[in-house]
Amino acid sequence: MRAGLTFLLLLTACARPHSNLAKPQPPETIVLWAWDRAEDLRFLKPGEAEVAALMRTLYLRNGNVEQWRRKLPLLLPEGVQPIEVTRFESDGSTLPATSAVVDHFFYEVHSEPRRLQFDFDVRASQIPWYLELLEQTKTWKSTVSITSIVSNCLENPWSADLPIEVVPMLFRMGPQRGIYLAKLQTKGDFARGCRGSLGISTDEPLAWRPPAKRIYVFNPNRWTRESFDQIRSRLR
């Protein structure tokens, strides 16, 4: 009787759904930043990585906007549409009206949906202006993400309530790099509003990084099959 009961209990346990088993997590999406140089990324195979390419720089000076557009070639695999990156450069002088900046996105806003990214090392005094600009993007057909310095994403980010992707950049952090990384590791992740994506660089290896679904990778040199394979292996 005891042996039969034991067998019955084991059979029942095996029949129960194992709801507490960890589900396999989808692989991280790698996004290669293609910066201001000629790039040939046709070595990428389908599904290996996305591309975020610097397409323009807007210089904000004395209340005016000057635009530089990409002139160097960017070769991509067939069917790959890059995330179009706009870099904002400010000398600290008076910022232009946000409407003047929006005018430079007229084609993107009124054409087919596309993905855009803003790269702006925003100063504390410029945050209200930047928030006003980002508020206007809510009506665009295009989706917008932004990069962020790490110090903004450690606690109480000014971007916490934005319904957009925020990409904290874990490189080029300056003399406080060690302090930022130690604080981040103690917390275990970025603050609310900055989680899910991050940016790294091929020339600044990290002993630890928080979890992320999307990892943007900067390379100070041209991308090659070899450099891509190296960073992909490092991220595993």
Side-chain angles (χ1 to χ4, degrees), residues 4 7 12 15 20 23 27 37 43 47 59 74 77-78 87 116 119 140 143 166 178 196 205 219-220 227:
F7 175 77
T12 304
N20 60 330
K23 296 181 180 179
R37 57 176 175 263
F43 60 80
Y59 295 94
L74 174 66
E78 185 177 354
R87 169 71 181 169
L116 307 175
D119 181 42
W140 295 5
T143 59
V166 178
N219 189 344
S227 60

Side-chain angles (χ1 to χ4, degrees), residues 1-201:
M1 177 67 72
R2 182 174 299 175
L5 180 59
T6 301
F7 175 77
L8 181 60
L9 290 174
L10 287 173
L11 186 63
T12 304
C14 291
R16 291 173 184 166
H18 289 27
S19 58
N20 60 330
L21 293 180
K23 296 181 180 179
Q25 296 299 313
E28 298 156 333
T29 299
I30 299 175
V31 187
L32 304 185
W33 269 313
W35 224 238
D36 184 19
R37 57 176 175 263
E39 288 280 16
D40 186 350
L41 296 168
R42 289 177 294 181
F43 60 80
L44 289 173
K45 299 174 183 176
E48 281 191 318
E50 297 181 11
V51 176
L54 179 65
M55 302 305 289
R56 62 153 68 86
T57 300
L58 296 182
Y59 295 94
L60 314 177
R61 297 167 178 162
N62 299 314
N64 298 310
V65 186
E66 296 179 11
Q67 179 175 242
W68 165 92
R69 279 191 174 272
R70 185 185 189 96
K71 296 181 176 64
L72 297 173
L74 174 66
L75 303 178
L76 299 172
E78 185 177 354
V80 172
Q81 294 296 323
I83 301 168
E84 301 174 20
V85 181
T86 295
R87 169 71 181 169
F88 293 100
E89 291 280 358
S90 169
D91 61 0
S93 58
T94 302
L95 291 168
T98 55
S99 58
V101 174
V102 169
D103 287 344
H104 287 272
F105 294 92
F106 181 87
Y107 176 76
E108 287 85 348
V109 173
H110 295 90
S111 64
E112 72 280 359
R114 60 183 67 202
R115 294 181 296 171
L116 307 175
Q117 185 176 80
F118 292 166
D119 181 42
F120 186 21
D121 302 328
V122 61
R123 308 178 187 187
S125 60
Q126 298 170 326
I127 291 173
W129 179 90
Y130 200 27
L131 286 172
E132 180 182 329
L133 174 65
L134 294 172
E135 179 67 25
Q136 296 181 55
T137 69
K138 292 180 179 180
T139 62
W140 295 5
K141 291 182 179 180
S142 302
T143 59
V144 177
S145 73
I146 63 172
T147 63
S148 174
I149 57 176
V150 168
S151 58
N152 168 59
C153 284
L154 291 176
E155 52 185 293
N156 302 320
W158 59 263
S159 55
D161 295 324
L162 295 176
I164 61 177
E165 178 190 49
V166 178
V167 184
M169 296 180 291
L170 283 169
F171 61 100
R172 308 298 189 268
M173 291 180 278
Q176 292 188 300
R177 168 186 165 89
I179 296 174
Y180 290 153
L181 291 177
K183 190 171 185 178
L184 178 59
Q185 188 165 5
T186 299
K187 289 176 171 292
D189 204 344
F190 293 108
R192 180 182 66 87
C194 288
R195 297 170 183 164
S197 300
L198 57 85
I200 63 173
S201 180

Side-chain angles (χ1 to χ4, degrees), residues 221-236:
N221 304 304
R222 289 183 181 177
W223 282 107
T224 64
R225 181 77 232 183
E226 181 181 10
S227 60
F228 171 69
D229 285 342
Q230 288 175 347
I231 193 66
R232 185 171 59 167
S233 177
R234 189 191 305 173
L235 292 174
R236 287 174 178 168

